[in-house]
Amino acid sequence: MPELPEVETVVRDLRPLVIGKRISAVRRTSTKALRRPWSDAWVARMVDRSVAGIARRGKWIVLDLGGPRLVIHLGMTGQLVVMPTESPLADHTHLVIDLAPGTDQLRFRDARRFGSVTLFDSAADAEAFFTEGDLGPEPFDYDPTVWRQRLSKTRRNLKATLLDQTLISGVGNIYADESLFEAKLHPETIAADLTPAQADRLLKAIVAVLTRAVDKRGSTIRNYVGGSGLAGGYQDEFRVYGREGQPCPRCETSIVAGRLAGRASHYCPACQKNSRSVRQSGSRKVSRQDHQTD
DNA sequence: ACAGGATCCTGGGGGC
DNA sequence: TGCCCCCAGGATCCTG
């Protein structure tokens, strides 16, 4: 479920609720396996530590325990919320962390269990995990030159490219579609065929869309809630995602939905022209030079 | 190198 | 009410 804006919202919500709190107990509240295996040996390493900070890296949440780092991925249906101890434990709650002083608990829930919770011994170990996973740069501080270079090296389409966390971290299905609309680029456009100007436009569009979404506390379609249990508001601002058959907010043309990179993809066929396929309709294949315009 | 499909799971919605 | 099928904010592995 959660992409960068949702994860960022969780982190911002949790920050005042967990920082400075001491972990007085840790309990696994289900025996079901998560995406990455949990180890009970981690409990002893967490108890009595205080939460020094909480941060986001791509779609990952990093809880700083003053040495060890608890690294959490929400997968599709994950929730990480602070709740009072007396509130009933919701279904599919996998981990409960007691916070002191007070009676609050940090709870991790995940119905589909595509998420994970992993303890690393140090900041360096957590960072090595991201490095080994080849996690791509953050959209907000992506060097445009590097971005253009990375795009120029792949013949994949833009939709698949934006979903690739090693190329850019944090973008998922919703914000890929919304960013491509913002940039007026067709999701099937080959990344390497973008002109430098188009590549710049795309990065700016991603940043603009993500910024607006963060401002609205992300998007809630089904399960997502922030760290305090509050839903998001950006789902009301979608311009293409989930709007198949509805009018394009720019030109009124019906939004089209197709399947790309294995995911539902929404776009405006009028605003988001695929220069490649348009040009291909006359000749057979198009040389790279043909794309220098636009 | 890359596309496409299957897979890991559960729940919700639509059609019948 | 129930059943069946399809779909879902992700990521990874396998095949062609």
Side-chain angles (χ1 to χ4, degrees), chain A residues 51-70:
Chain A
V51 180
I54 180 166
R56 179 192 58 75
R57 176 74 178 88
K59 298 175 190 173
W60 298 86
I61 297 166
V62 181
L63 205 62
D64 176 358
L65 302 182
R69 296 291 191 277
L70 194 65

Side-chain angles (χ1 to χ4, degrees), chain A residues 1 5-6 9-10 13 79 81 175 213-236:
Chain A
M1 79 168 153
E6 291 75 34
T9 301
V10 168
D13 284 355
Q79 298 179 345
V81 292
Y175 300 108
V214 168
D215 286 346
K216 294 281 180 179
R217 302 180 41 82
S219 309
T220 294
I221 297 173
R222 288 178 185 77
N223 314 289
Y224 165 74
V225 292
S228 52
L230 225 79
Y234 196 70
Q235 65 281 357
D236 300 328

